[in-house]
Amino acid sequence: MNISDMEVVLSVMKNAGYRETVDNPEAAEIIFINTCAIRDNAEQKVWQRLNYFWFLKRQWKRNVAQGRVVVLGCMAERLKEKILDSDKMVDVVCGPDAYRDLPRLLQEVDYGQKGINTLLSLEETYADISPVRIMKNSVTAFVSVMRGCNNMCSFCIVPFTRGRERSRPVESIVKEVGELWEEGVKEVTLLGQNVNSYNDESGVEQEVEAGSNWKYSEGFSSMCKIKNVGLRFSDLLDRLSTEFPEMRFRYTSPHPKDFPDDLLHVMRNRHNVCNFIHLPAQSGSSRMIERMRRGYTREAYLELVEKIRRTIPDVGISSDFICGFCGETEEDHKETLSLVSTVGYDMAFMFAYSMREKTHAHRNYADDVPEEVKQRRLTELIETFRESTGQCYDSQIGSVQLVLVEGPNKRAPETELMGKSDRGHRVSFVTVPVPNRTAEGAADQQQQRNPVVGDYVEVRILRSSRASLYGEALAITKLSLFYCNTVENEGVACAV
Ligand code: SF4
């Protein structure tokens, strides 16, 4: 999300007359620091960077007339003036909904003031801004489709730093994806704090009864009221995957409550929507899940996992977990370990809990799990995850995966390429000439060439190591061709 936000910031600055980005902060006239506030750890890193820039700036002022440090994003939103008062020589503090105001804020600095705007908006989606891509030659890109979160999970600061949910109109997203396709992008990750509660209300002409027609995953609930039901995430995915059949789509980060059947069906039926779902559980104990105000139970979560696996064959699942949340007992922790073993995740993001001001937990609970217990539980969780994920990687040995080549394998840049499979696993293989698939699906042995960045390559998996796969390239193909020829026979529809 922060990369995507920086691309919006670059566009705003470009329109204000700033033309060039530089590689070294030492050479910059303005340094933007985009920040995260989700954990104390993330904020400490930002303070370390600010210390570094503080030293840099003292030298810098001697060399460059106009040296500015700008703090953007969630930490700016959370701490506001406190950052300006911190003695770190920060010039501008700008919250995530105020990026359009940056040129004015920087002008204030020219007049000897500090600039600050941390107003949150109910409407801002930056839909009309064409982001300036940071990784210009990359074949993958991010597209932000919604912002904010209404969920108020008791541990989470995001609703206070990113504001209420709002979605970009479908048309503006289709336009941006079309431009990316023209630039040679082959895979787009759709982004949002709560991406699958996407709700494009721009075409809704009158208010409908609160909550009507809005389907949650079975057994899940939410405290939020939905006023108008517009085009939902399944509609957006359906439209994008139909309009761009040779482009692959992923999305993050979803909430497990927003997986109604029609979303699962779009994922199953569209060859170019990746078979990968991030399903943040946070805990395996129903008691803790309730204290976290997540709106489900362990049982409902497991039933959803089962339904996802029934509906979408060979789907990969990842998750987020918090260790040592307020009141977590050894029993609760064991339930989390058992959930991780039961589900067998492809990936997981695991953290020790750190309390954030303003949240429901801060106001109502005690942060009563000692730090060393949190760390011990985190270690146990990581070990449990590693045991189960190894099996998930091993199970793919012998299969043929479709890999979008993203670049050389850093470990053997001269001889190997690296990319991601549909399921999001890193796959590397030796660069050798391989045949092209013809429109009829045959491997044309007369037309062999080395795969290059941006090619879709069929790779047979030969071995797995922790968190990556290694295989042999078989053929270069088109995305739709691969699924029509390889997967259709296994009962998955191929819509091109
Ligand atoms: Fe935070 Fe995600 Fe919960 Fe929203 S859904 S409050 S972003 S954890």
Side-chain angles (χ1 to χ4, degrees), residues 149 151-153 155-156 158-159 193-194 255 282 294:
C149 178
N151 285 320
M152 298 287 177
C153 300
F155 54 84
C156 185
V158 167
Q193 263 83 40
N194 209 356
H255 190 292
Q282 309 297 359
R294 295 279 295 168

Side-chain angles (χ1 to χ4, degrees), residues 58-338:
R58 288 167 64 183
Q59 290 184 341
W60 188 24
K61 284 263 178 184
R62 270 182 260 146
N63 305 331
V64 183
Q66 188 198 31
R68 312 274 183 250
V69 172
V70 179
V71 177
L72 307 165
C74 289
M75 191 174 154
E77 189 66 48
R78 190 179 93 74
L79 294 175
K80 301 182 168 62
E81 287 85 0
K82 284 186 194 156
I83 296 179
L84 293 179
D85 298 342
S86 68
D87 252 6
K88 295 285 182 260
M89 295 172 79
V90 172
D91 300 287
V92 171
V93 167
C94 181
D97 287 349
Y99 298 148
R100 289 180 201 264
D101 201 22
L102 275 167
R104 186 191 65 80
L105 294 171
L106 283 159
Q107 245 177 25
E108 288 200 2
V109 183
D110 293 342
Y111 298 131
Q113 309 288 314
K114 299 265 181 184
I116 179 162
N117 186 344
T118 54
L119 286 177
L120 285 174
S121 157
L122 290 175
E123 284 102 30
E124 182 63 272
T125 60
Y126 301 112
D128 57 322
I129 289 186
S130 286
V132 173
R133 294 182 65 217
I134 293 173
M135 287 174 285
K136 291 201 168 47
N137 298 320
S138 175
V139 289
T140 62
F142 297 110
V143 172
S144 168
V145 302
M146 60 83 68
R147 299 175 77 85
C149 178
N150 293 347
N151 285 320
M152 298 287 177
C153 300
S154 61
F155 54 84
C156 185
I157 187 80
V158 167
F160 304 97
T161 58
R162 289 274 169 173
R164 311 292 286 170
E165 283 176 16
R166 58 234 116 104
S167 299
R168 277 175 69 177
V170 167
E171 293 308 326
S172 78
I173 299 167
V174 171
K175 181 170 171 280
E176 187 177 335
V177 171
E179 287 164 5
L180 292 170
W181 174 250
E182 293 298 321
E183 287 170 27
V185 169
K186 296 285 182 66
E187 184 182 289
V188 161
T189 302
L190 306 174
L191 295 177
Q193 263 83 40
N194 209 356
V195 69
N196 55 339
S197 69
Y198 177 86
N199 183 20
D200 170 14
E201 299 172 58
S202 58
V204 176
E205 272 163 21
Q206 59 183 62
E207 282 199 4
V208 291
E209 201 187 316
S212 63
N213 279 332
W214 191 273
K215 289 200 186 77
Y216 292 118
S217 316
E218 256 175 77
F220 287 64
S221 61
S222 168
M223 290 185 298
C224 341
K225 294 264 179 294
I226 312 293
K227 247 184 169 181
N228 300 320
V229 181
L231 292 170
R232 293 205 58 189
F233 191 60
S234 52
D235 300 312
L236 175 66
L237 267 188
D238 188 34
R239 171 88 187 267
L240 289 172
S241 57
T242 312
E243 208 138 316
F244 305 97
E246 298 302 333
M247 191 177 227
R248 200 156 74 166
F249 293 94
R250 303 182 186 279
Y251 58 89
T252 198
S253 177
H255 190 292
K257 73 177 167 52
D258 286 310
F259 280 101
D261 290 356
D262 51 357
L263 175 54
L264 299 181
H265 293 157
V266 170
M267 289 189 69
R268 179 194 60 196
N269 293 340
R270 297 285 164 188
H271 67 275
N272 51 345
V273 179
C274 288
N275 285 351
F276 184 79
I277 290 182
H278 185 58
L279 208 61
Q282 309 297 359
S283 171
S285 150
S286 293
R287 194 180 76 86
M288 295 315 292
I289 295 168
E290 194 185 347
R291 267 174 92 73
M292 291 173 168
R293 307 211 298 182
R294 295 279 295 168
Y296 51 90
T297 59
R298 173 192 173 94
E299 290 70 33
Y301 181 89
L302 281 171
E303 274 167 31
L304 178 61
V305 168
E306 230 184 276
K307 184 190 248 189
I308 288 171
R309 287 191 165 145
R310 253 196 338 264
T311 312
I312 310 169
D314 201 31
V315 66
I317 298 180
S318 64
S319 194
D320 296 337
F321 289 97
I322 297 173
C323 290
F325 183 60
C326 312
E328 187 189 72
T329 62
E330 284 303 318
E331 209 39 56
D332 295 318
H333 169 59
K334 280 184 189 144
E335 289 200 61
T336 301
L337 299 184
S338 98

